[in-house]
Amino acid sequence: MIKVGLLGAGRIAGVHATAISSNPGSQLVAVSDYIAENAEKLAAQYGCAARTTEDIIADPSIDAVLIATSTDTHSDLIEAATGAGKAVLCEKPVDLSLDRARACQKAAEGKPVMIGFNRRFDPNFGALKAALDAGEIGKPELLSITSFDPAPPPVAYIKVSGGLFRDMMIHDFDMANFIMGEAPVSVTAVGSCIVDSEIGAAGDVDTAVVTLTYADGRIAVIKNSRRAVYGYDQRVELLGADGLLQAQNMLENTVVKSTTAGVTGAKPTFFFLERYMPAYAAEWAAFVDAITAGSALPATLDDGVAALAMAEAATQSAKTGAPVALSSV
Amino acid sequence: MIKVGLLGAGRIAGVHATAISSNPGSQLVAVSDYIAENAEKLAAQYGCAARTTEDIIADPSIDAVLIATSTDTHSDLIEAATGAGKAVLCEKPVDLSLDRARACQKAAEGKPVMIGFNRRFDPNFGALKAALDAGEIGKPELLSITSFDPAPPPVAYIKVSGGLFRDMMIHDFDMANFIMGEAPVSVTAVGSCIVDSEIGAAGDVDTAVVTLTYADGRIAVIKNSRRAVYGYDQRVELLGADGLLQAQNMLENTVVKSTTAGVTGAKPTFFFLERYMPAYAAEWAAFVDAITAGSALPATLDDGVAALAMAEAATQSAKTGAPVALSSV
Amino acid sequence: MIKVGLLGAGRIAGVHATAISSNPGSQLVAVSDYIAENAEKLAAQYGCAARTTEDIIADPSIDAVLIATSTDTHSDLIEAATGAGKAVLCEKPVDLSLDRARACQKAAEGKPVMIGFNRRFDPNFGALKAALDAGEIGKPELLSITSFDPAPPPVAYIKVSGGLFRDMMIHDFDMANFIMGEAPVSVTAVGSCIVDSEIGAAGDVDTAVVTLTYADGRIAVIKNSRRAVYGYDQRVELLGADGLLQAQNMLENTVVKSTTAGVTGAKPTFFFLERYMPAYAAEWAAFVDAITAGSALPATLDDGVAALAMAEAATQSAKTGAPVALSSV
Amino acid sequence: MIKVGLLGAGRIAGVHATAISSNPGSQLVAVSDYIAENAEKLAAQYGCAARTTEDIIADPSIDAVLIATSTDTHSDLIEAATGAGKAVLCEKPVDLSLDRARACQKAAEGKPVMIGFNRRFDPNFGALKAALDAGEIGKPELLSITSFDPAPPPVAYIKVSGGLFRDMMIHDFDMANFIMGEAPVSVTAVGSCIVDSEIGAAGDVDTAVVTLTYADGRIAVIKNSRRAVYGYDQRVELLGADGLLQAQNMLENTVVKSTTAGVTGAKPTFFFLERYMPAYAAEWAAFVDAITAGSALPATLDDGVAALAMAEAATQSAKTGAPVALSSV
């Protein structure tokens, strides 16, 4: 039973608190937040202590920390926590700066750091990956990832987000790496601002298509939009030599209504909390299992840096439309 | 926050323990079982006390009990617990004997007793019912319920189960009552033993079709089989004056594979624990909400007796094939 | 190349004219109708002669006739045409009177008469039957047929139709025989008038559920409604020892629209002409092939009489709700 | 009733012959082929004359010609037939050379020439376009076209095909223009040879992703593969401000089988003849209607040249990966 400190007490921290509590291999012992009141509230709900971040990291009885604070603190906290001998599960991204992330990667080399690429633990994407690994469609050739949010975040958030490629598509870059089993050699990006002109005024795009090419000729294409009014659209499709695998959306329910207006089913689950709730629990379980067994973590700091490098390359490519070699970033 | 005693510590009791613990309005304080060791194990996991059933019922600090013991104890425990002033959520069926169930109904008249018809709380059937109530398909005319288990239970269980109509179809009788909003006037049953001849030797059927007719001419048909090798098949379909509603199966995942062999998706979730896990939590939440608010329970002892009467009528009809008036049982 | 006379020039005769013309093994040489003008119009369109029915039957150069006249003429025309040595494809039903149909069956014994049970030639039901025959779901156990019309016919038609069981469900009785490979031993029917009270006033039902039992314990259930506002609902579902087969509806197109209102697809094809257009062509091709090869016809006069006997039994059962042995009609 | 000469007697000419014959507004009067025997065979089947191409074009009683000959003859035949005053429906592409196609476009300016972009007439893509035009998903933002062949053509064909972009993706370029209602401003292509190395040896790619950008920021992405072993995969998906439209594959039948191995449905219809058979008939009907009414043709020589220019741009872009402005080709 590992003792866990939770750094951050926001919405996603609440999801993690449930996962930590209900997992038989872990115990939530402390929570911190830069707003002390939030930490106290969450601590009360889960019967643990509200403490400061420094205090938690300094406590030798705590085995692991889950970092669910704001992005700009991730690298520092990873370094501090690993320095204090703790296992770490940190929310993505490692950092908005690729240089800073790489410094962190170097500092934490050999330490147990997992990055929270929750989608790897989604049962649907997991089943797709398992079918691929089992050889069910032969050699993969052409990967397509569709990833649309239901609605854009506030422009204030956009401004500090690092941009669509670092903030949103980074999940899809990791998904591509997860499925293809390696990083691409080049990244070509096209981005537009057609959903909300204020996003463009803030210097970002809201709609983008990125093409990835691999050393052996395989191709992947990622589509992002900040707005799909029907809900969170999260699909992966992979053409292989012997067939096609598609992971489709999860729906709110299975009811279908047939009337004179057509045949209507439920929408996709609304957003990431609904869609990926089972994935968060599975992610935590995988962390606990690996830490307990001393085995390899299923999504590492290296993976976090690799996805960030792709985001950097895409950001550059979107300015010219020309391909950017991943080796150049 | 209501304090809850859990009577029974078997598999389904474990599911209920999770629901009670994770609900912010209830606290699991004690668990009992006729095998004391089982109670102790469950109590340890959820941090509550292992006690005797009598002790729990006698404890005035306990507000409610959840009865998850064997069927033959249900009526007695409902009477004892309500007599001690406790609110009750009891697993179905009330009793295998309609007479005994009616006596219990009388004894507990006016007391807060909810019967665990978990399917009413399934999000899919709930959405179908909500669409019907919202008038989306007009007046209902023809209801179809498909309910197949993945595999027959052991014959030893069949022998004490009360038979397919009381043990398995009773859920579907309640579903018909839930959707149609009233009991039928007559029941016509056809039953066969074609899955496993040992079930027939034990005096039961393993495949059955029951037709229900309602006072205003509406019709319902229920299909049961003890074996659907592809998994737990739980579907409801309702034709109305303005359209059709279908609640389809939930699938293990959303992955679809296209190969030269065809286009293959995942199977339905395997059995009731997988399919109805969200329903058990919602059922408990509905119980807590109603008890706390003092409002009407969403599935009552009357509902339990009504479904049992339909099972009795179906059992009679299956012998002759002729309709049995519900008023005659 | 067989020479064909078409008896009748109504809507369904037009469908058959196209099938006859476009089949490389048959030539449409003459058409008749009790309204001569209709025959002339159809003859002009297909470049053949408009003649009287008697004339066509008496013409020794004509090899086969397709009978698409009103039901009350079917038996007489089958007898006349077979008496004149012609092969016959006759629209269902053979007759509204079971006695008359049996007399016709006797008169035409050994003659090549096919009954137009077009649904046997639907590519979907055909694929289901082929999968069953290939052993893909093992021994069949429980068959369900859903068959809803988009809207009731005029009450004037209802009055002369012979009633829902003889006019509408007869197709489903034949489908059950086609799939199960034999006739049932008993028929239990429940019928209601809930769609349109004028249908009840005309002595008929508009909604019905019929349960069929087979000698070896297998069960089939057929659901009919005269009104499904979303279109022609034609589905077959068969549970077997090793799985389930479902033939679902054909849709108007494959477009799916996702909006805030849900995920909406096209309705089923509207009515029998749209849904079964490919089946009519395949039915005619099967007739031509069998006649040309001298092989067994795929839907015989015996099949027509068998379905009619089931309709008779259902009509009787609907009055009492009690099962009617097929051997008693 | 327009009189039609069919130039070419190969496989696709046979499809057109059926469409011409069965359309009440057109009559097939002559067919030619460079192999006279093929023309004679087709003429016999459809009861028309086998003549030379020159003879057909010179015959003033013939109103229209359908050009279904090899690609290298298209431009010459369009010029000859329009020069002789005939309306023309010509199979795509206009020519493999963009310069030659533009010369033909100039020569035939103002003449009634339709290019056979059959997919515009597919009922599914047509329904998607109609829903878009009806405003059902608001302003379009991101278009995705998936277009996979079941198997690569012979390498001998690849060598004379003009390459994947001109031979295969040209259909998708036209589909993009059809749906977006205008040509893009730039084309970015990535191509690979991963299906069959002999295709690469012949100087072509077998897998490609092309991104199109539009003047107002909209984006389209087209995916092509020469091999999808499960059949002809033809899907279009369009994200708009108010929703998503998807035109999915047509399936061989609607049967679904559930077993322990999963839930399996039929594959997509095998190849273009099966999938687009209704589209060929609708295409011809649209041609006849427009010629008869003197109204605008629904797919013009300009459309043919526009798609060819996109293929030219994609071919250039695939060499460098950099975007190619459509105005530069």
Side-chain angles (χ1 to χ4, degrees), chain A residues 11 69-72 74 91-93 96 149 151-164 166-171 198-199 202 204 226 271-272:
Chain A
R11 188 169 58 160
T69 54
S70 61
T71 296
D72 57 323
H74 287 181
E91 272 294 323
K92 67 92 217 168
L96 293 182
D149 280 355
V155 170
Y157 174 83
I158 293 275
K159 285 177 181 167
V160 300
S161 70
L164 179 143
R166 288 187 192 90
D167 174 63
M168 180 176 173
M169 200 180 280
I170 194 164
H171 274 297
E198 287 197 40
I199 292 174
D204 201 4
R226 287 284 192 187
F271 206 5
F272 66 96

Side-chain angles (χ1 to χ4, degrees), chain B residues 141 144 192 217 223 227 235, chain C residues 141 144 192 217 223 227 237:
Chain B
E141 294 169 350
S144 304
S192 263
K223 297 183 295 170
R227 182 185 60 198
R235 287 173 285 151
Chain C
E141 294 168 352
S144 304
S192 264
K223 297 183 294 172
R227 180 185 61 198
E237 180 170 317

Side-chain angles (χ1 to χ4, degrees), chain B residues 141-230:
Chain B
E141 294 169 350
L142 179 51
L143 172 69
S144 304
I145 300 176
T146 298
S147 180
F148 301 157
D149 281 354
V155 170
Y157 174 83
I158 293 276
K159 286 176 181 168
V160 300
S161 70
L164 179 143
F165 299 109
R166 288 188 192 88
D167 174 62
M168 180 175 173
M169 202 181 280
I170 194 163
H171 274 295
D172 306 302
F173 290 134
D174 183 66
M175 182 56 61
N177 293 346
F178 173 56
I179 291 173
M180 296 302 243
E182 64 172 334
V185 293
S186 104
V187 177
T188 309
V190 168
S192 263
C193 178
I194 41 181
V195 168
D196 182 350
S197 59
E198 287 196 40
I199 292 174
D204 201 4
V205 297
D206 51 37
T207 305
V209 173
V210 166
T211 307
L212 310 174
T213 59
Y214 293 81
D216 61 358
R218 290 178 298 161
I219 304 174
V221 60
I222 301 172
K223 297 183 295 170
N224 268 192
S225 170
R226 287 284 192 185
R227 182 185 60 198
V229 297
Y230 52 91

Side-chain angles (χ1 to χ4, degrees), chain D residues 124-307:
Chain D
N124 308 298
F125 299 143
L128 184 150
K129 172 69 168 164
L132 171 66
D133 290 349
E136 296 186 19
I137 60 158
K139 186 172 168 295
E141 294 168 352
L142 180 51
L143 171 69
S144 304
I145 299 176
T146 298
S147 180
F148 301 158
D149 281 355
V155 170
Y157 174 82
I158 293 276
K159 286 177 180 167
V160 300
S161 70
L164 179 143
F165 299 109
R166 288 187 192 90
D167 174 62
M168 180 176 172
M169 200 180 282
I170 194 163
H171 274 296
D172 306 302
F173 289 133
D174 183 65
M175 182 56 62
N177 293 345
F178 173 57
I179 290 173
M180 297 302 243
E182 64 173 335
V185 292
S186 103
V187 177
T188 309
V190 168
S192 263
C193 179
I194 41 182
V195 168
D196 182 349
S197 59
E198 285 196 41
I199 293 174
D204 200 4
V205 296
D206 51 38
T207 305
V209 172
V210 167
T211 308
L212 310 174
T213 59
Y214 293 81
D216 61 357
R218 292 178 296 161
I219 305 173
V221 59
I222 300 171
K223 298 183 295 171
N224 269 192
S225 170
R226 288 284 192 185
R227 180 184 62 197
V229 297
Y230 52 91
Y232 196 44
D233 194 339
Q234 299 280 298
R235 288 173 284 151
V236 170
E237 181 171 316
L238 179 62
L239 178 68
D242 299 334
L244 181 81
L245 289 171
Q246 296 168 292
Q248 301 180 326
N249 284 315
M250 303 194 67
L251 305 181
E252 287 174 345
N253 61 62
T254 67
V255 174
V256 173
K257 177 176 66 171
S258 301
T259 67
T260 53
V263 177
T264 301
K267 291 183 285 186
T269 47
F270 181 64
F271 206 4
F272 66 96
L273 286 183
E274 291 80 12
R275 165 65 189 257
Y276 291 120
M277 191 57 79
Y280 284 112
E283 174 187 88
W284 180 252
F287 176 77
V288 170
D289 289 353
I291 293 301
T292 305
S295 58
L297 288 163
T300 64
L301 195 44
D302 292 352
D303 292 321
V305 172

